[in-house]
Amino acid sequence: QDVEELVSVKDAVLSCAAAEDKDGWQHLFPVKNATLRSRLALHCLDKWPLDACLEILAYCISDLGITGELKASLQSRKKELQVYQKILNVQNEPLWNDWQDLKKVCTDDPQAVMNIILKAKDYELCEEWGHLYPVPREDLINLHREHLLHLLEMGDMEKALQLLQRIEDPGICLAISEQSLDQHPNLAASHFLADYLTAHFYANLTTARRNEIQALYMGSKVLLTLPELSRVNYFHLSSRPLLMLEQLLMNMKVDWVAVAVQTLHQLLAGQEIGFTVEDIDNLLSKYAEKALNFPFALKEKRSGKEKITSLPQLGVTISASPRDSSLQQNLFPQEFVPPEKPPPKQQWIPDDTEKICMVCKTERFTMFNRRHHCRRCGRLVCSSCSTKKMAVEACRENLSRVCDQCYSYYNRE
């Protein structure tokens, strides 16, 4: 009995010493009474340094002599302090002297703390911190959306699914999934989000959203028919296949359009996604009409010479092409001089900068009148002005297609 009383007295003295100052935590370890030690630790944490708090909490939790309720309280505080420790580690510049200062800012200005964590792109830490402090609904949606997009960008679909499953509010879950899909992430991420929304929120989706998801599947199929290196240029239209088709038409990718149309015809059978086969046919008719509206001279090839065709009955006046000994060229002859060295491919004239041939200055580029790059000078020319081939330095082909002016320059008699 005397020994037990002595232990009790000793525990009391040690407890008083532990509660005295910031180094008092060291006196808690010799305390025999596990319950007393644990309660005192919880009461005095705010006085002690972070590392010391975590050490004493771990020691108290490991003692089998405490109740389940007390152990849960210890674990809760340890988890809170570990979050503070992570936040202190991600800051680029020391903004707080200790975890006690950080705790105060978390209460007074939570947005500032969240911004620092988001700047470090530690989304999991931000989620942990969000469980400790109330975050406005919109900020919480933004936080989860950025976290979800980050995981999808990394290709970690399993963690992305776990994140969505952890969100208890179905309204928030629906909002971040739809907002993430609207960000047009990569193809795999878009399919993940579309599958998730269809499986978990189909009844909550608007008709427009359902059509968009169905269109995304179709657009993805069309995208996969394009050459792999060109897919990136049309990926942003993967959820709008009709617009993708129009973009291909505008870029005069006729061969690609043929395959895309065939694919869409097969996929549209019995589907309602906001557009029909008739819409595709109307789009093709529109661009076919544009392509047939030739604003240049009509020419017939006869015996290797060009003959100008006049159409008086239509009231059309057609002049000869400037490359066919026009009066202007006869009066003011100007010989084209190619660059000293053939320009590399990245320095060729870009396709979208010229609408007419840079040699004859007449032929307009259309879906059927294709543009070509001269391998010797890099200019955009029509087929009539690039009928010759010759050896060009640094070109892999034995004979490369060149414009008539470059050919004439290097093959003068």
Side-chain angles (χ1 to χ4, degrees):
Q1 185 177 357
D2 292 341
V3 172
E4 290 179 359
E5 290 179 358
L6 182 61
V7 169
S8 298
V9 171
K10 183 179 179 181
D11 281 356
V13 172
L14 289 170
S15 299
C16 291
E20 190 65 28
D21 54 38
K22 66 177 183 178
D23 295 323
W25 62 275
Q26 302 176 50
H27 301 293
L28 274 187
F29 290 101
V31 173
K32 298 293 184 182
N33 189 318
T35 301
L36 175 63
R37 184 197 317 119
S38 299
R39 292 189 181 281
L40 192 60
L42 291 172
H43 181 73
C44 298
L45 282 177
D46 289 343
K47 298 181 180 180
W48 301 331
L50 182 58
D51 291 340
C53 291
L54 291 172
E55 185 178 353
I56 193 63
L57 285 172
Y59 182 73
C60 292
I61 291 170
S62 65
D63 199 311
L64 300 178
I66 60 174
T67 63
E69 183 181 356
L70 188 54
K71 185 174 183 179
S73 298
L74 292 166
Q75 289 173 331
S76 176
R77 289 307 305 273
K78 181 185 177 185
K79 187 175 181 180
E80 176 189 354
L81 291 175
Q82 286 174 331
V83 171
Y84 295 144
Q85 186 181 48
K86 292 176 183 178
I87 296 175
L88 291 171
N89 290 335
V90 300
Q91 58 178 342
N92 293 326
E93 300 176 3
L95 302 176
W96 307 289
N97 295 323
D98 47 43
W99 73 269
Q100 289 88 347
D101 287 345
L102 171 57
K103 181 181 178 181
K104 186 175 185 303
V105 175
C106 286
T107 304
D108 297 342
D109 190 5
Q111 187 65 47
V113 178
M114 189 170 76
N115 289 341
I116 289 174
I117 305 173
L118 287 176
K119 187 177 180 180
K121 292 190 176 182
D122 195 333
Y123 300 105
E124 291 184 3
L125 173 57
C126 211
E127 187 180 348
E128 291 179 51
W129 178 82
H131 289 306
L132 298 176
Y133 293 92
V135 179
R137 179 183 172 85
E138 284 304 313
D139 291 339
L140 193 60
I141 290 175
N142 293 338
L143 163 63
H144 286 311
R145 184 190 66 240
E146 293 302 314
H147 189 188
L148 179 62
L149 287 170
H150 174 71
L151 292 173
L152 293 174
E153 184 181 344
M154 299 295 291
D156 199 335
M157 307 304 177
E158 185 177 349
K159 282 191 175 180
L161 181 59
Q162 291 172 357
L163 169 62
L164 291 169
Q165 290 172 340
R166 287 197 301 270
I167 300 173
E168 298 178 356
D169 187 334
I172 291 180
C173 201
L174 173 61
I176 68 169
S177 299
E178 291 200 278
Q179 289 182 18
S180 297
L181 186 60
D182 290 337
Q183 294 291 320
H184 302 292
N186 61 54
L187 200 57
S190 296
H191 276 273
F192 171 89
L193 292 166
D195 289 340
Y196 183 83
L197 285 167
T198 303
H200 295 84
F201 297 103
Y202 188 80
N204 303 93
L205 300 177
T206 63
T207 302
R209 178 65 77 181
R210 292 176 187 174
N211 288 344
E212 180 188 349
I213 290 175
Q214 190 64 34
L216 173 64
Y217 290 130
M218 293 190 181
S220 301
K221 296 288 186 183
V222 173
L223 194 67
L224 291 174
T225 67
L226 306 182
E228 187 172 355
L229 295 178
S230 300
R231 292 172 192 169
V232 65
N233 299 324
Y234 300 91
F235 168 74
H236 63 290
L237 300 173
S238 55
S239 62
R240 305 175 69 185
L242 199 60
L243 192 58
M244 187 191 302
L245 189 62
E246 184 169 7
Q247 189 69 56
L248 290 170
L249 287 167
M250 291 173 66
N251 292 340
M252 295 186 289
K253 304 297 184 182
V254 183
D255 297 337
W256 301 359
V257 168
V259 180
V261 169
Q262 184 179 8
T263 303
L264 284 173
H265 278 190
Q266 294 172 351
L267 293 172
L268 278 170
Q271 297 288 342
E272 291 291 337
I273 64 167
F275 69 93
T276 63
V277 171
E278 186 178 354
D279 293 319
I280 296 177
D281 292 343
N282 290 338
L283 181 65
L284 294 175
S285 298
K286 170 185 173 184
Y287 278 86
E289 183 179 352
K290 287 185 177 181
L292 293 173
N293 184 22
F294 293 108
F296 49 84
L298 302 178
K299 290 172 283 187
E300 294 180 357
K301 296 280 187 177
R302 290 188 181 177
S303 303
K305 296 183 179 180
E306 292 181 353
K307 177 183 177 183
I308 306 304
T309 303
S310 61
L311 300 175
Q313 68 275 18
L314 297 178
V316 178
T317 303
I318 301 177
S319 61
S321 170
R323 49 185 297 276
D324 295 325
S325 305
S326 71
L327 178 62
Q328 183 178 356
Q329 283 188 334
N330 287 332
L331 293 176
F332 307 101
Q334 292 182 344
E335 182 182 34
F336 171 73
V337 179
E340 185 177 349
K341 291 185 177 181
K345 187 173 182 179
Q346 58 268 27
Q347 292 181 11
W348 290 353
I349 302 298
D351 286 350
D352 56 357
T353 58
E354 297 292 335
K355 294 183 178 179
I356 62 173
C357 174
M358 298 177 70
V359 172
C360 66
K361 309 292 185 183
T362 301
E363 301 283 3
R364 183 175 295 274
F365 300 128
T366 69
M367 187 187 304
F368 300 106
N369 194 34
R370 309 290 293 278
R371 50 171 62 82
H372 303 278
H373 277 103
C374 171
R375 269 46 175 180
R376 185 57 189 78
C377 64
R379 294 180 300 168
L380 289 167
V381 296
C382 65
S383 58
S384 298
C385 294
S386 55
T387 59
K388 303 289 193 296
K389 289 187 177 183
M390 58 180 264
V392 177
E393 180 185 350
C395 279
R396 286 180 292 181
E397 302 97 337
N398 292 332
L399 295 177
S400 303
R401 189 171 189 170
V402 296
C403 69
D404 292 353
Q405 287 183 337
C406 283
Y407 183 86
S408 299
Y409 182 86
Y410 286 104
N411 292 273
R412 290 175 293 185
E413 294 181 358

